[in-house]
């Protein structure tokens, strides 16, 4: 089915800007047919439509990779692994160093694609590319550090140690809202660890993926390494499913919704593969009576309304002490009323569009459900029309006061809705905080060291990220990133997350002339 709509001058401008950015990035764009105005529903067997949330209209069509192309890409990555695994890790690190240099050189080009496809304001899109540069730095250092421990053996003349080896092919599946950074977290680390990578980006952000991959392809080619080390699939769910099911993929690192993770995990487990899941969050911050309220309000607004509420770490619940809740809500409402919503490329805009009309429908439906459950819509929650972009899905971020944590509050709605809940004692706040299926990011605003330490302790937040006096979003690459419960349990990026990309071997070496058995066993 193919239907057409009148494409706006903005759509033409965006398509031209995207193609120019790709050219500067040195990417060969697999454009099948520039087709502004073709409805996304007309995606057919052979092509995928690239839609910009800035105009809400399709820009062009790309080739669509399916199961056969996935199998071929995995085959090439498996073949490349046979040589890549034996390249010394510091030499592999030099390829990532070069990738970091190319990203620095082309920061604005790649950020422009991120803005056009994911709708991020320019500053946040540049921040996403900076995060890629940062992980490259980290991975270069790692390339001289990955290694194991030596433990004392209970047997004389024996050495007990562990060695770490590459796993093989890593399949990376990424979500639309971090179209390039999540790939780089995985790929920079996986590559220095000696793995090869097949990337299945979100079908909503294919051009950003083409641009980022082109830089890595260049870094690999300059160093004389085969292109098979890094493979890109331009596919939708079908390609993702094929990647997940392929027994040659040693590790599936998948970022996306809880629904996606629940589908991926059993398939990988059934074939004995390893998976690393980074799924949805339902992040909360507690605001205690002692909090620095200026700081708390600023932190909450960035975390809840930034990226139009489309971060996995976006703040979705604010649990405020009853003595200050009216003041906090009034301050928030004042800021929210003046939040500049509009074209994310315009200086001064703080809130860009939602990714598509479906996301806006889901936001408005969640607000209705919250109000039906007794909530009070304080501000926002309305569609915003931006001149020249009538098909785009802009919204005014919303604040909803809730008397109780209703079901809708326990779900992740991937949009800027901030639910405000009230508490009287800290244990109650922590109980409400933890009473959701997800466990990604959390924060407490307090100047009371007892409250802060309690929140950080084993009786505090049950999340993978627990902050004090900063919001829930905006993590640095140095720490391990990920969450518990239905968020999936994976850890990526910094700290010792590299261990997920390698297999550990425990080695016992006997350099004595005897053969003593462990635990004193005597076998004749
Ligand atoms: P999504 O689940 O719709 O899609 C994510 C990716 O999974 C896409 O590439 C998609 O093609 C692929 N996919 C979908 N179903 C699949 C299947 N059955 N098998 C294999 N692949 C499949 O998510 P989205 O809408 O792109 O992104 C938003 C979601 O991602 C939110 O829930 C957000 O919280 C989450 N997210 C989590 C993190 C994190 O680190 N925890 C980071 C970014 C986004």
């Amino acid at each position: 089915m193919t239907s057409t709509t009148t494409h706006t001058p903005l759509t033409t401008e965006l398509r031209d800007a995207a193609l120019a950015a790709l050219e500067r990035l040195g990417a060969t764009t697999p454009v099948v047919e520039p087709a502004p105005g073709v409805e996304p529903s007309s995606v057919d067997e052979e092509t995928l439509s690239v839609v910009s949330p800035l105009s809400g209209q399709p820009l062009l069509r790309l080739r669509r990779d399916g199961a056969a192309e996935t199998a071929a890409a995995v085959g090439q990555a498996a073949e490349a692994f046979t040589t890549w695994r034996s390249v010394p890790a510091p030499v592999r690190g030099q390829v990532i160093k070069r990738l970091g240099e190319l990203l620095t050189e082309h920061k604005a080009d790649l950020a422009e694609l991120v803005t056009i496809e994911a709708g991020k304001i320019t500053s946040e899109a540049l921040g996403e590319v900076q995060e890629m540069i940062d992980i490259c730095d980290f991975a270069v250092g790692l390339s001289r550090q990955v290694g194991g421990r030596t433990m004392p053996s209970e047997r004389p003349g024996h050495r007990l140690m562990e060695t770490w080896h590459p796993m093989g092919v890593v399949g990376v599946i990424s979500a639309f809202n971090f179209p390039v950074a999540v790939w780089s977290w995985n790929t920079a680390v996986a590559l220095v660890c000696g793995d090869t990578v097949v990337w299945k980006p979100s079908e909503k952000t294919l051009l950003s993926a083409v641009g980022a991959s082109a830089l890595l392809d260049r870094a690999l080619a300059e160093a004389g390494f085969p292109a098979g080390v890094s493979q890109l699939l331009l596919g939708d769910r079908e390609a993702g499913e094929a990647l997940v099911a392929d027994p040659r993929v040693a590790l599936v690192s998948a970022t996306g919704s809880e629904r996606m993770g629940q589908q991926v995990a059993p398939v990988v487990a059934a074939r004995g593969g390893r998976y690393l899941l980074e799924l949805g969050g339902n992040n909360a911050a507690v605001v205690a009576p002692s909090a620095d309220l200026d700081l708390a309000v600023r932190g909450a607004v960035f975390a809840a309304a930034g990226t139009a509420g489309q971060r996995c770490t976006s703040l979705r619940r604010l649990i405020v002490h009853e003595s200050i809740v009216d003041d906090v809500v009034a301050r928030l409402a004042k800021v929210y009323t003046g939040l500049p919503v509009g074209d994310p490329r315009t200086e001064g805009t703080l809130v860009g569009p939602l990714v598509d009309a479906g996301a806006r429908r889901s936001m408005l439906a969640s607000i209705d459900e919250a109000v039906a459950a007794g909530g009070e819509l304080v501000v926002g929650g309305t569609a915003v029309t931006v001149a020249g972009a009538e098909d785009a899905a802009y919204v005014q971020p919303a604040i909803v006061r809730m008397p109780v944590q209703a079901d809708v509050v326990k779900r992740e709605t991937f949009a800027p809705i901030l639910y405000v809940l009230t508490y009287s004692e800290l244990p109650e706040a922590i109980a409400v905080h933890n009473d959701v299926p997800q466990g990604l990011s959390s924060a407490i605003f307090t100047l009371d060291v007892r409250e802060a330490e309690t929140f950080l302790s084993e009786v505090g937040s049950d999340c993978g990220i627990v902050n004090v006096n900063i919001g829930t979003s905006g993590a640095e690459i140095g720490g391990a990133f990920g969450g518990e419960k239905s968020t999936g349990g994976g850890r990526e990026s910094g700290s010792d997350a590299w261990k997920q990309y390698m297999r550990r071997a425990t080695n016992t070496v006997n350099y004595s002339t005897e053969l003593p058995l462990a635990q004193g066993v005597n076998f004749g």
Side-chain angles (χ1 to χ4, degrees):
M1 180 195 68
T2 300
S3 58
T4 54
T5 182
T6 315
H7 69 275
T8 58
L10 175 60
T11 295
T12 308
E13 180 196 329
L14 293 167
R15 186 192 62 206
D16 293 350
L19 290 174
L22 283 167
E23 200 176 326
R24 292 194 297 278
L25 285 156
T28 320
T29 319
V31 175
V32 176
E33 164 204 358
V38 178
E39 291 287 1
S41 59
S42 69
V43 168
D44 56 37
E45 292 283 300
E46 283 84 34
T47 62
L48 285 172
S49 198
V50 172
V51 181
S52 172
L54 275 61
S55 69
Q57 294 191 334
L59 305 184
L60 45 81
R61 302 177 74 77
L62 300 181
R63 80 158 197 255
R64 174 181 182 272
D65 293 330
E69 289 79 11
T70 304
V74 174
Q76 285 184 41
E79 171 64 27
F81 177 66
T82 60
T83 49
W84 183 250
R85 66 184 167 190
S86 300
V87 173
V91 177
R92 296 191 296 246
Q94 289 308 299
V95 173
I96 299 302
K97 183 176 177 192
R98 180 70 184 130
L99 173 63
E101 288 166 0
L102 290 170
L103 284 165
T104 306
E105 197 181 312
H106 290 284
K107 189 172 172 181
D109 299 326
L110 195 53
E112 189 173 4
L113 289 174
V114 170
T115 293
I116 290 173
E117 284 192 310
K120 290 192 183 187
I121 61 170
T122 300
S123 159
E124 289 193 57
L126 288 167
E128 171 155 3
V129 183
Q130 184 58 47
E131 196 168 356
M132 302 173 80
I133 297 165
D134 294 346
I135 195 71
C136 287
D137 277 355
F138 182 88
V140 174
L142 201 59
S143 71
R144 291 185 183 270
Q145 290 180 61
V146 286
R149 306 169 55 205
T150 305
M151 287 76 63
S153 170
E154 66 188 50
R155 290 171 278 190
H158 284 58
R159 181 154 61 94
L160 185 59
M161 62 180 185
E162 56 185 29
T163 45
W164 292 82
H165 306 285
M167 300 262 301
V169 178
V170 174
V172 176
I173 295 174
S174 57
F176 83 84
N177 66 321
F178 273 94
V180 283
V182 165
W183 165 73
S184 71
W185 291 357
N186 281 282
T187 302
V189 174
L191 256 50
V192 300
C193 289
D195 301 318
T196 55
V197 172
V198 179
W199 180 21
K200 209 299 286 172
S202 165
E203 52 274 40
K204 294 176 183 170
T205 51
L206 297 170
L207 299 181
S208 307
V210 170
S213 280
L215 296 182
L216 178 54
D217 289 350
R218 201 192 316 175
L220 283 163
E222 283 175 8
F225 291 115
V229 169
S230 158
Q231 297 281 306
L232 172 64
L233 290 169
L234 298 180
D236 52 21
R237 185 168 162 173
E238 183 194 332
E241 286 174 350
L243 190 62
V244 166
D246 196 315
R248 294 168 297 176
V249 177
L251 167 68
V252 174
S253 175
T255 300
S257 56
E258 291 155 273
R259 174 201 58 74
M260 181 273 281
Q262 284 155 10
Q263 288 165 353
V264 165
V267 177
V268 184
R271 63 173 176 79
R274 189 188 288 183
Y275 55 78
L276 193 173
L277 298 177
E278 297 285 359
L279 310 173
N282 189 351
N283 318 294
V286 174
V287 185
S290 71
D292 174 338
L293 288 192
D294 287 340
L295 202 98
V297 168
R298 276 188 6 240
V301 173
F302 171 68
T307 332
Q310 297 174 114
R311 286 195 191 208
C312 51
T313 50
S314 286
L315 179 66
R316 312 216 175 273
R317 300 174 295 137
L318 199 63
I319 306 166
V320 189
H321 192 264
E322 58 191 7
S323 63
I324 52 167
V325 67
D326 291 340
D327 186 17
V328 169
V329 170
R331 288 177 189 229
L332 284 169
K334 194 169 165 211
V335 181
Y336 264 57
T337 311
L339 273 179
V341 178
D343 188 320
R345 299 168 303 169
T346 306
E347 213 181 320
T349 296
L350 291 181
V351 182
L354 293 183
V355 70
D356 55 28
R360 185 161 70 182
R361 276 195 299 277
S362 132
M363 173 175 176
L364 301 181
S366 289
I367 293 173
D368 286 347
E369 193 180 333
V371 170
E376 176 207 345
L377 178 61
V378 177
V379 65
T382 47
V384 173
T385 305
V386 170
E390 285 74 13
D391 292 340
Y394 287 92
V395 289
Q396 197 71 40
I399 298 174
V400 184
R401 268 184 93 157
M402 295 299 296
V404 289
Q405 186 151 256
D407 286 349
V408 65
V409 181
K410 295 186 184 183
R411 289 200 310 268
E412 178 196 50
T413 299
F414 213 56
I417 307 175
L418 181 63
Y419 299 108
V420 179
L421 298 144
T422 309
Y423 78 94
S424 54
E425 301 294 334
L426 186 62
E428 179 197 346
I430 292 172
V432 169
H433 176 279
N434 292 345
D435 185 24
V436 292
Q438 310 80 1
L440 180 52
S441 188
S442 58
I444 187 167
F445 287 90
T446 178
L447 297 181
D448 180 332
V449 71
R450 289 184 180 145
E451 288 186 332
E453 291 293 335
T454 303
F455 194 69
L456 293 169
S457 79
E458 73 287 351
V459 298
S461 162
D462 61 3
C463 289
I465 298 168
V466 190
N467 297 333
V468 177
N469 291 331
I470 64 159
T472 52
S473 65
E476 298 178 24
I477 59 92
F481 181 93
E484 302 301 332
K485 304 193 306 190
S486 71
T487 301
R491 291 297 185 278
E492 281 173 1
S493 193
S495 186
D496 63 353
W498 62 269
K499 290 179 176 170
Q500 313 234 18
Y501 300 82
M502 300 196 86
R503 69 181 164 82
R504 180 197 321 235
T506 300
N507 315 126
T508 309
V509 179
N510 177 4
Y511 57 93
S512 76
T513 53
E514 304 298 321
L515 194 62
L517 299 177
Q519 293 89 42
V521 172
N522 188 350
F523 199 66

